[in-house]
């Protein structure tokens, strides 16, 4: 399943700028492996002083994977962050830590995060410290390059990659874009396995 440890987001760097508003998009990702193809709605919102991002991935085999990420602006680049992970075939879990917006040049963005504390219905989860990143570069003529990924730095046997994506996209209109969208998957090591994919994204504006 794409990202049993998935990160969020390449997804897109859009965020709801006004209080209690929602922005979003819907992606279709066609993988070279048919069963890994998915539909993914992404929602970005701000409510009760929290920045929120929620996505859900729906697969052809009727499985799904989802995540909600909440963070709080404290007047600095460091933000307390919580993640809630849910889906098919595993117990729901939650993690807390912090994210950091790295100072970057115009038309670029980079965020990193560390979530050292995780729990599920049975309590504290050992050997689980997630570190991840998400970034974006906007080019002229509607081209963009974005990526996200994360790894478990405390996995038994050494650090282990979780899930990620790279997206080289081109805007076709104000709302529609297409992309070469390789998936970076877990193969039991720190280095990911690359799975070729293409995607289309419709953004609600």
């Amino acid at each position: 399943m794409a990202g049993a440890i998935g990160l969020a987001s390449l997804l897109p760097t859009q965020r709801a700028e006004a209080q209690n508003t929602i922005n979003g998009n819907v992606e279709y990702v066609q993988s070279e492996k048919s069963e890994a193809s998915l539909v993914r709605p992404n929602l970005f919102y701000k409510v009760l002083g929290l920045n929120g991002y929620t996505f859900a991935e729906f697969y052809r085999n009727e499985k799904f994977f989802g995540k909600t990420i909440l963070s709080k602006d404290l007047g600095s680049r460091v933000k307390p962050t919580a993640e809630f992970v849910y889906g098919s075939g595993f117990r729901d879990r939650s993690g807390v830590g912090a994210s950091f917006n790295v100072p970057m040049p115009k038309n670029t963005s980079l965020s990193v995060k560390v979530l050292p504390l995780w729990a599920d219905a049975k309590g504290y989860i050992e050997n689980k410290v997630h570190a991840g990143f998400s970034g974006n570069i906007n080019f002229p003529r509607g081209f963009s390059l974005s990526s996200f990924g994360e790894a478990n730095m405390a996995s038994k046997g050494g650090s282990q990659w979780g899930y990620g994506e790279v997206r080289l996209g081109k805007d076709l209109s104000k709302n529609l874009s297409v992309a070469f969208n390789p998936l970076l998957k877990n193969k039991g090591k720190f280095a990911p396995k690359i799975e070729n994919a293409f995607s289309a994204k419709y953004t609600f504006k």
Side-chain angles (χ1 to χ4, degrees):
M1 177 183 302
I5 312 179
L7 175 72
S9 171
L10 166 253
L11 310 182
T13 53
Q14 305 115 308
R15 287 191 177 180
E17 297 179 354
Q19 185 75 7
N20 301 329
T21 61
I22 298 177
N23 294 326
N25 60 61
V26 176
E27 297 175 279
Y28 174 73
V29 181
Q30 176 64 53
S31 169
E32 63 180 303
K33 295 184 178 180
S34 179
E35 68 277 8
S37 298
L38 60 96
V39 174
R40 177 170 55 208
N42 300 284
L43 295 177
F44 306 85
Y45 46 92
K46 189 166 186 175
V47 61
L48 300 177
L50 298 174
N51 299 309
Y53 167 54
T54 296
F55 72 86
E57 298 174 342
F58 300 95
Y59 296 85
R60 290 187 174 180
N61 58 9
E62 298 186 357
K63 292 184 177 181
F64 81 97
F65 173 83
K67 181 181 288 191
T68 293
I69 302 172
L70 300 175
S71 64
K72 174 67 175 178
D73 291 323
L74 296 178
S76 69
R77 293 184 178 274
V78 178
K79 301 177 182 180
T81 300
E83 295 191 1
F84 306 90
V85 184
Y86 35 88
S88 305
F90 62 90
R91 288 194 299 270
D92 297 350
R93 54 186 180 264
S94 304
V96 294
S99 58
F100 176 73
N101 291 329
V102 180
M104 297 291 290
K106 184 179 179 180
N107 295 322
T108 65
S109 66
L110 176 63
S111 177
V112 295
K113 69 173 184 179
V114 178
L115 303 176
L117 300 175
W118 288 84
D120 59 18
K122 291 190 174 182
Y124 174 70
I125 302 175
E126 298 181 346
N127 304 115
K128 195 175 186 66
V129 176
H130 282 190
F133 72 92
S134 61
N136 184 79
I137 304 174
N138 292 319
F139 298 105
R141 300 184 182 277
F143 286 95
S144 64
L145 176 65
S146 58
S147 182
F148 73 87
E150 77 175 9
N152 182 3
M153 308 306 292
S155 179
K156 292 182 179 179
S159 300
Q160 185 175 136
W161 182 256
Y163 180 75
E165 295 181 16
V166 176
R167 188 178 194 276
L168 177 59
K170 173 68 171 74
D171 293 338
L172 300 183
S173 68
K174 179 180 178 181
N175 302 91
L176 181 65
S177 67
V178 295
F180 176 55
N181 198 157
L183 312 179
L184 309 177
K185 294 197 166 183
N186 183 343
K187 64 174 183 178
K189 301 179 180 180
F190 187 67
K193 175 183 178 182
I194 300 175
E195 185 175 301
N196 292 321
F198 294 88
S199 66
K201 178 172 67 176
Y202 184 86
T203 300
F204 301 98
K205 295 182 178 179

